[in-house]
Amino acid sequence: HLAINEYKLLHITPLLLLSLKACNSITISVSSIDCGSHDVDTPYGRVHCTMRGVPKGDRPVILTYHDIGLNHKTCFDTLFSHEDMQEIMQHFAVCHVDAPGQQEGANTFSTGYEYPSMDQLAETLPLVLKHFGLKSVIGMAVGAGAYILAKFALDYPAMVEGIVLINVNPCAEGWMDWAAHKITGWTHAMPDMIISHIFGKEEIQQNHDLIATYRHHILNDMNQYNLHLFVKAYNSRRDLDIERPVPGINARTIKCPSLLVVGDNSPAVDAVVECNTKLDPTKTTLLKMADCGGLPQVDQPGKLTEAFKYFIQGMGYMPSASMTRLVRSRTASGSSVTSFEGNRSRSHTNEGSRSRAHTNEGRARALTADHQRSRTHTDTADTSVDQAVPKSAEVSC
């Protein structure tokens, strides 16, 4: 028996050592990307990034970008610390990007520093991906960050597999808005201007604790000089120049699946609806969150997480993810205006087709899979549009 055991040991040991070496090499390659804070050098200055989790093979990383007056913590901590988000984070690493000088404890830029434009901020993102060795991302962004990620998706479609845009405004600031900001800038502090950008009038008048919390953050936690430069860059943005695709014409549009999110009490409702009219209706879903204000990811993180989970499943990831909050249903849009219905195909990966649904525990609005799904769309500008024209899916929850 001893001889046999020695024979087995002599033959098994090399295989065991080989396996251990392979495991060590895998460990080294995976851990080469450190979790935590990174400063990525770009031609437009250093970009502060925070990596949570370890990228998993060729799977995309969730990349976030915040709005003016916020950073990645105040914008996304509530969402990504929610219990329902933990299942998603088991499948995806998360890379939070802070605009230059907006992170906690940021040093004041030197006098004469030229803050990057919104277009230039979008140009920093390929360098962020290169820094972490990433091939692609699923983007999630709010307000100014949503504009930046949308520009990134337009210019680098191969790097963006899907995108969630909250409170996105694809249009340049009009001259009336510009004049209003100039006038209010003379009589009101910058925090009040930012508060009116993020929150709707109803929220400002009724939710005093929430508004006080964010006003305190803007005043005490943000570098005021750096924040002024970021706000100025956002107010100087250009039109995103997105075109709704027309058969036979190569339009400039976001090519990946897109989820547009806005609270029904948000000041960005009109801008988000406008963006919806410019995107590919076969790849875009507009999600209006009922009883929700300017920060859906803060007001109702569980509901947004569930919508995000369906969105990811629609891209072919997380096929066995639990769906506990929402109920699947096929209904018309909650709007009283004209609704349109038709077929729509979705992109799939080798993991198979997935279904998605969004609803509010008792009021369901849904998307269904198997290569076809019903969809509804409201158009307040023109209710006489030909019903044969494909419409984006509009979902209320």
Side-chain angles (χ1 to χ4, degrees):
H1 291 291
L2 181 59
I4 293 175
N5 289 335
E6 289 176 346
Y7 176 83
K8 289 181 179 179
L9 184 61
L10 288 173
H11 286 76
I12 292 175
T13 301
L15 295 177
L16 182 60
L17 290 174
L18 181 60
S19 299
L20 289 174
K21 288 181 179 179
C23 290
N24 288 336
S25 64
I26 292 173
T27 301
I28 291 171
S29 63
V30 170
S31 63
S32 61
I33 300 176
D34 297 328
C35 296
S37 299
H38 296 249
D39 287 322
V40 181
D41 289 322
T42 77
Y44 309 107
R46 287 186 174 180
V47 177
H48 184 267
C49 304
T50 304
M51 180 67 75
R52 302 298 185 200
V54 178
K56 296 168 177 60
D58 291 334
R59 178 167 293 194
V61 164
I62 298 172
L63 185 143
T64 73
Y65 216 118
H66 59 87
D67 200 356
I68 57 174
L70 307 174
N71 53 43
H72 82 269
K73 290 187 176 181
T74 52
C75 194
F76 292 108
D77 265 7
T78 301
L79 178 65
F80 282 90
S81 62
H82 193 273
E83 58 181 0
D84 292 346
M85 182 61 77
Q86 303 315 304
E87 183 178 15
I88 295 177
M89 295 183 69
Q90 291 176 6
H91 294 265
F92 297 90
V94 180
C95 179
H96 297 293
V97 179
D98 289 310
Q102 309 305 306
Q103 71 272 18
E104 282 188 349
N107 294 325
T108 303
F109 289 122
S110 59
T111 305
Y113 170 76
E114 185 176 350
Y115 200 84
S117 67
M118 301 300 284
D119 291 354
Q120 290 171 335
L121 290 174
E123 288 293 327
T124 65
L125 294 180
L127 297 175
V128 170
L129 268 65
K130 182 179 179 181
H131 175 85
F132 291 107
L134 306 175
K135 293 182 179 179
S136 62
V137 300
I138 298 173
M140 177 183 287
V142 183
Y147 180 101
I148 293 167
L149 275 195
K151 184 68 167 62
F152 174 53
L154 285 169
D155 294 342
Y156 300 91
M159 294 184 178
V160 185
E161 292 196 23
I163 192 168
V164 179
L165 302 175
I166 304 171
N167 299 339
V168 63
N169 188 344
C171 303
E173 189 175 40
W175 71 270
M176 287 293 291
D177 296 323
W178 177 86
H181 279 144
K182 289 296 182 182
I183 295 173
T184 56
W186 296 334
T187 56
H188 295 83
M190 184 170 59
D192 292 326
M193 297 173 60
I194 295 174
I195 289 294
S196 64
H197 161 79
I198 298 175
F199 301 101
K201 293 181 180 179
E202 184 176 338
E203 269 185 304
I204 295 174
Q205 294 172 357
Q206 297 181 4
N207 200 337
H208 300 292
D209 291 341
L210 178 68
I211 301 305
T213 297
Y214 277 88
R215 179 178 281 110
H216 180 272
H217 158 72
I218 293 168
L219 276 170
N220 297 281
D221 300 333
M222 300 295 295
N223 184 301
Q224 296 299 295
Y225 180 75
N226 297 355
L227 176 58
H228 170 76
L229 295 179
F230 187 31
V231 171
K232 183 178 179 181
Y234 180 62
N235 287 339
S236 302
R237 68 190 182 277
R238 304 182 303 167
D239 282 342
L240 275 178
D241 195 24
I242 305 176
E243 302 171 330
R244 169 155 285 195
V246 177
I249 298 178
N250 186 21
R252 174 176 167 80
T253 190
I254 295 177
K255 300 184 183 301
C256 64
S258 305
L259 176 62
L260 307 184
V261 181
V262 67
D264 59 356
N265 292 321
S266 169
V269 170
D270 291 341
V272 174
V273 172
E274 172 70 14
C275 185
N276 184 55
T277 66
K278 296 175 179 289
L279 297 180
D280 187 343
T282 67
K283 297 180 179 180
T284 306
T285 300
L286 171 58
L287 174 61
K288 289 184 178 180
M289 300 185 67
D291 303 321
C292 188
L295 294 177
Q297 76 279 15
V298 174
D299 289 347
Q300 301 185 30
K303 190 183 296 183
L304 181 58
T305 298
E306 193 76 357
F308 186 43
K309 195 180 294 185
Y310 278 106
F311 179 71
I312 291 174
Q313 280 201 320
M315 297 169 58
Y317 296 108
M318 298 178 61
S320 60
S322 60
M323 297 296 167
T324 58
R325 184 178 299 273
L326 303 182
V327 181
R328 183 176 304 169
S329 175
R330 297 177 64 183
T331 68
S333 170
S335 173
S336 61
V337 198
T338 307
S339 65
F340 301 92
E341 187 171 338
N343 295 326
R344 166 180 169 185
S345 63
R346 287 193 297 127
S347 60
H348 301 276
T349 71
N350 57 1
E351 293 187 47
S353 61
R354 311 290 173 239
S355 62
R356 298 180 283 171
H358 313 281
T359 172
N360 183 19
E361 270 101 354
R363 298 179 300 152
R365 304 289 185 269
L367 310 173
T368 59
D370 297 326
H371 299 285
Q372 291 185 342
R373 70 179 179 182
S374 64
R375 65 182 181 280
T376 59
H377 176 68
T378 58
D379 192 339
T380 58
D382 184 3
T383 60
S384 63
V385 180
D386 185 358
Q387 296 190 18
V389 177
K391 299 295 177 182
S392 301
E394 180 174 326
V395 180
S396 299
C397 69

